[in-house]
Amino acid sequence: MIDRRDFIKLTAVTGTSATLASCGHPEHQLIRFIPDEELVPGVAEWKPSVCPLCRAGCGLSVRVMEAEADVVRNGQQGVVKIGAAKKLEGQPDHPINHGGLCPRGQAAIQITYHPDRLTQPWKRTGARFSGDMKPVSWDDAIAELAARLDALAAGNAQAQLAILTRPGRSRRLELFAEFAKRFGAPAPVAVELFADDVLRRANAISFGRDQLPTFDLAHSRHVIGFGADFLGTWNSPVAQSFGYGEMRQANPQIRGTFVQIEARMSQTGANADEWIPIPPGTEGVLALGLARVIIENKLRPADAAGQAGRAIDGWAGGLSQFTPERVETITGVPTRRLDRLARHFAERRPSVAIAGGVALAHTNGLFTALAVNALNALLGSVGVEGGMNFITPFDAARGLAQGTANRDTFAKLRSAKGLLLDGADPVFASPKAWRVRESLEQIPFIASFGSFIDDTSGLADLILPDHSFLESWTENLPEAGAAVAVVNVAGPVMRPLHQTRATPDVIIEVAGKLNKPVGLPWKSFDEMLKASMSGEAWTAAQKQGWTIQSSVGSRQSAVGSLQSSVPISSPQRNGQKTVSYSAATFDGDPGTFPFYFLPYASQAFGDGSLAHLPWLQEMPDPLTSAMWSSWVELNPATARRLNIDPGDLVDISSTQGTVRAPAVLSPGIAPDVVAMPVGQGHGTFTRYGSDRGVNPISILAPVTELETGSLAWAATRVKIARAGEADGSLILFAGEMREHPHEHEVR
């Protein structure tokens, strides 16, 4: 029996730490394996790959050179000379990232060499989270999984197999979906805290496109952002940063302008010419206030908005309910400022408005998204250069998980008899009120394909660890970010370090070993990838790691034809043909919980799935300079009123519970808002991410957006109380990289 902290480090025993710890023990002397590839010392080779850390699909160039690596061969630890990935860079000619790569992409190399990475299959032998697990062979692991699936089929319980995945659009997801369909199980469901389901639904209603848009910022003259951190974490940030740079610098005579509207200054807001704080949940009112000024002053005709306008209640009547005076009352934006913003937006064309993130994370999120869509359509900003466009993705209806997991999803899991986890960590990424862990504990059998033990995979009965993306075929079908439809497909750039296997190949093998075999038409994942492409496209992808599936063609004609195909009876909120404004509702009585609570995607960790990478833990937050920490952001005026000094510990309490973290004072946040980055607070996520900081998701109320059922993660109110003086848990960058508190654990 081992304790929980040792269980956190369970997988480190097959890495560098174990190799070095064996010194002085003859029975565990370091083994030097014979290389199984020809290597040229000192000569670098650049190979294509794809960044897997978000759905954007940035292309990579990987520098591969001879190196010695810690490996596991036939259950033994040792070292071997291999062609090892040494550095990741953005591909200069890739249509999405144009050679750029965000810090998260740079840190992706640490997935392969992480000391706590699972190096072989494991099987649970005792109670969940007891630490009673043992290594097993791949033959035994696959036989175990096949036997469990056979048992479901024998009991006609195939429909009680659930599959939870990470979000994205890929052939890997298509493979899981095809396996589920042929086995008789429900389609896979994606686990995504900061989901964009609301925006996709709004785009389907407004434009007939159930997908995220691509913004041609490079050719825009004026941009208004409604809550979307598009230069930091939202949608395709590297592509959008490239376009933004072109907008600001490419033409010395015309420098595009940018206005950001949000309650807490994001990395994107910090780059704006004008930053406007407004109360959370009022963004749609401001968008329609701008539209009314434009229509009333005959800067654009109301009918130019087409279906996007018809989806808004009162549009045909000139939006009479959104007078400048009423907009000022609701949003706090003065009428003169509203008039100036509207005129600039209409006159400095091409212009575009971007809504996403927190602006759509309220109970009235669909209204806000539709309002911004109508504003764009009114200005003629849809399907044109410098506006918003929709690429034609390859097989748009395929390769996607069926929706995003929500409270109902996890409630249904209590009746599941089997669960497959592919990179999803819902125990961490869901409000405690959803009782996700309790639901998963009711499932008799859970298999995980993860490379690390996290808060969810620690419940697994069987772990079949995947190759890293550098060791296997990696691919995705980006939803947005380029003017063309990109298909990313890249082979392995290096040989596997350990006794892991590519998850898609494991699924194909298991499908063929069932008593009633699932007749998948491929013998391997690369065969599936090759079959999905033409010979010419496959050849191009082998050379550069990506190919163009098809051109968008004429943007205007493409969008125009789609708009005309949208039926008037498109699904609308509450079955209505138009959507009306209703104030966002928040959990918690304002008298007891006077502050809006804003959790936000971390610049380093995103939704928390990257907290195990030490480079990202070490990276200072761009706005606060904090690292290795959790923190609470407060307006200085609020802090003075509550006698809170920088670094003081504060309790943030909602109706769902309390978290405690140090205070960081920021003038870039409204006085009635408190904010926390998501990412820390894992109970189990390797030596770097375990028991570090707190998880703000845990105190979110289970409030949902009415149309999609998505979690309204910005709809919780909180109260604040000073809990004590600074305790040293807040680590700030001080001009040089600092040793983190547990550096002695890393060898």
Side-chain angles (χ1 to χ4, degrees):
M1 179 74 68
I2 58 178
D3 63 24
R4 194 176 76 85
R5 181 165 290 279
D6 286 335
F7 179 60
I8 291 169
K9 302 177 189 175
L10 176 66
T11 61
V13 299
T14 57
T16 306
S17 301
T19 301
L20 296 181
S22 68
C23 295
H25 299 275
E27 68 276 18
H28 296 299
Q29 289 299 317
L30 181 145
I31 300 173
R32 191 173 295 278
F33 296 109
I34 298 174
D36 50 9
E37 56 184 313
E38 293 185 4
L39 303 168
V40 180
V43 177
E45 182 180 1
W46 290 90
K47 297 183 178 181
S49 189
V50 185
C51 181
L53 297 191
C54 78
R55 63 169 69 221
C58 292
L60 298 178
S61 290
V62 185
R63 181 161 61 92
V64 179
M65 292 185 68
E66 179 195 58
E68 286 193 342
D70 300 315
V71 298
V72 174
R73 296 286 188 267
N74 298 321
Q76 295 181 306
Q77 303 95 34
V79 297
V80 67
K81 286 187 176 181
I82 64 169
K86 294 286 219 170
K87 186 71 169 69
L88 306 183
E89 297 288 354
Q91 270 197 36
D93 56 350
H94 198 280
I96 290 177
N97 54 314
H98 305 279
L101 195 61
C102 73
R104 297 181 294 277
Q106 294 280 354
I109 196 170
Q110 292 195 308
I111 294 173
T112 299
Y113 302 115
H114 200 293
D116 295 349
R117 181 182 164 196
L118 291 165
T119 61
Q120 63 190 96
W122 289 82
K123 180 179 179 179
R124 185 169 62 84
T125 58
R128 286 171 172 166
F129 267 111
S130 68
D132 292 339
M133 300 186 76
K134 68 176 183 180
V136 295
S137 69
W138 272 103
D139 287 344
D140 289 344
I142 288 176
E144 172 80 7
L145 180 55
R148 295 284 190 163
L149 296 174
D150 282 335
L152 291 179
N156 292 319
Q158 296 96 322
Q160 291 176 282
L161 174 68
I163 302 174
L164 297 179
T165 74
R166 290 285 297 165
R169 184 188 299 268
S170 67
R171 295 299 181 195
R172 181 186 181 112
L173 274 174
E174 183 180 332
L175 175 63
F176 269 99
E178 189 66 20
F179 172 81
K181 178 181 178 181
R182 298 189 182 210
F183 182 72
V189 177
V191 175
E192 184 176 17
L193 173 66
F194 300 112
D196 288 303
D197 292 8
V198 172
L199 183 55
R200 291 191 184 89
R201 182 66 61 86
N203 289 343
I205 294 169
S206 300
F207 311 120
R209 299 302 293 262
D210 185 12
Q211 66 180 102
L212 298 182
T214 295
F215 297 95
D216 184 15
L217 299 178
H219 297 98
S220 296
R221 289 192 59 201
H222 191 66
V223 176
I224 298 181
F226 290 87
D229 185 18
F230 62 84
L231 299 180
T233 60
W234 182 76
N235 196 8
S236 189
V238 177
Q240 289 156 180
S241 295
F242 177 83
Y244 180 78
E246 291 288 296
M247 179 186 84
R248 304 286 266 183
Q249 301 174 7
N251 189 335
Q253 283 73 42
I254 303 176
R255 184 177 188 269
T257 55
F258 171 41
V259 177
Q260 180 77 344
I261 298 160
E262 57 192 359
R264 176 234 169 221
M265 183 177 286
S266 62
Q267 180 177 339
T268 300
N271 285 275
D273 297 293
E274 189 173 358
W275 180 75
I276 303 175
I278 65 174
T282 66
E283 295 87 351
V285 172
L286 183 57
L288 293 186
L290 296 172
R292 176 192 164 105
V293 172
I294 292 169
I295 294 171
E296 191 172 44
N297 288 278
K298 296 181 170 47
L299 301 177
R300 289 285 291 175
D303 59 5
Q307 171 63 23
R310 291 192 294 271
I312 303 294
D313 182 43
W315 187 274
L319 299 171
S320 59
Q321 68 271 48
F322 294 100
T323 63
E325 294 74 21
R326 187 185 182 210
V327 171
E328 179 175 358
T329 299
I330 295 174
T331 69
V333 177
T335 57
R336 291 183 63 182
R337 192 178 203 180
L338 179 73
D339 185 80
R340 174 177 58 81
L341 289 172
R343 290 179 182 276
H344 285 176
F345 195 50
E347 293 166 357
R348 299 173 181 175
R349 298 170 62 199
S351 56
V352 68
I354 304 175
V358 64
L360 309 187
H362 300 288
T363 55
N364 63 356
L366 182 68
F367 165 79
T368 296
L370 290 172
V372 175
N373 279 351
L375 179 62
N376 275 321
L378 174 66
L379 268 294
S381 300
V382 183
V384 298
E385 188 176 80
M388 62 180 292
N389 301 279
F390 296 95
I391 64 171
T392 305
F394 181 70
D395 289 346
R398 303 172 66 184
L400 278 173
Q402 298 301 302
T404 303
N406 54 31
R407 185 174 188 170
D408 292 340
T409 302
F410 297 117
K412 292 176 182 177
L413 284 181
R414 296 180 185 178
S415 61
K417 293 186 176 180
L419 172 64
L420 303 183
L421 292 168
D422 187 34
D425 188 7
V427 171
F428 174 82
S430 303
K432 283 187 176 179
W434 284 2
R435 302 179 63 83
V436 173
R437 177 164 176 164
E438 291 81 354
S439 294
L440 298 188
E441 287 176 340
Q442 302 300 313
I443 300 176
F445 176 73
I446 299 175
S448 169
F449 301 100
S451 297
F452 302 92
I453 294 178
D454 57 31
D455 294 293
T456 303
S457 63
L459 296 169
D461 303 278
L462 186 67
I463 304 178
L464 304 93
D466 195 6
H467 286 332
S468 83
F469 73 102
L470 296 175
E471 301 167 338
S472 61
W473 285 91
T474 181
E475 48 76 43
N476 78 345
L477 305 168
E479 186 175 6
V484 292
V486 178
V487 178
N488 287 317
V489 179
V493 304
M494 58 183 286
R495 302 201 178 194
L497 294 177
H498 308 303
Q499 290 176 280
T500 56
R501 289 192 185 179
T503 294
D505 288 332
V506 171
I507 293 296
I508 291 172
E509 183 175 353
V510 169
K513 288 183 177 294
L514 300 178
N515 289 337
K516 296 180 180 178
V518 173
L520 295 176
W522 317 284
K523 295 181 180 179
S524 65
F525 188 47
D526 58 309
E527 181 182 313
M528 176 187 178
L529 295 174
K530 186 175 182 179
S532 70
M533 304 170 66
S534 68
E536 182 179 350
W538 178 255
T539 300
Q542 296 308 290
K543 180 179 179 181
Q544 60 189 16
W546 59 272
T547 187
I548 296 174
Q549 177 60 30
S550 63
S551 173
V552 175
S554 170
R555 293 186 178 94
Q556 186 62 55
S557 62
V559 174
S561 63
L562 285 162
Q563 285 180 321
S564 65
S565 69
V566 179
I568 299 300
S569 60
S570 294
Q572 299 279 340
R573 184 176 172 185
N574 299 328
Q576 301 299 313
K577 293 182 180 180
T578 59
V579 175
S580 303
Y581 167 68
S582 60
T585 58
F586 297 83
D587 180 83
D589 177 70
T592 305
F593 302 97
F595 297 94
Y596 298 106
F597 184 52
L598 177 56
Y600 62 90
S602 163
Q603 298 295 330
F605 313 131
D607 60 359
S609 58
L610 306 179
H612 62 314
L613 301 182
W615 284 359
L616 297 179
Q617 287 280 3
E618 193 75 55
M619 184 178 76
D621 178 75
L623 296 183
T624 67
S625 81
M627 47 201 277
W628 295 100
S629 311
S630 288
W631 64 89
V632 178
E633 296 175 21
L634 307 174
N635 184 279
T638 302
R640 285 193 298 271
R641 181 166 56 84
L642 298 175
N643 296 316
I644 296 172
D645 291 325
D648 281 356
L649 294 179
V650 295
D651 285 341
I652 307 298
S653 302
S654 72
T655 62
Q656 307 299 310
T658 300
V659 293
R660 177 174 295 179
V664 170
L665 308 189
S666 169
I669 189 170
D672 58 351
V673 175
V674 296
M676 289 188 70
V678 170
Q680 305 283 27
H682 290 269
T684 300
F685 201 22
T686 81
R687 68 187 72 184
Y688 304 109
S690 300
D691 297 326
R692 184 178 303 284
V694 296
N695 183 5
I697 306 171
S698 65
I699 65 169
L700 293 183
V703 180
T704 59
E705 192 279 322
L706 300 178
E707 168 74 13
T708 63
S710 296
L711 177 67
W713 47 265
T716 300
R717 300 188 71 98
V718 296
K719 60 183 178 181
I720 309 171
R722 184 180 183 275
E725 296 182 353
D727 64 352
S729 61
L730 179 64
I731 302 175
L732 300 176
F733 179 72
E736 60 182 30
M737 302 309 288
R738 297 179 54 180
E739 181 179 352
H740 72 80
H742 300 290
E743 188 65 42
H744 64 278
E745 296 181 357
V746 185
R747 300 177 174 88

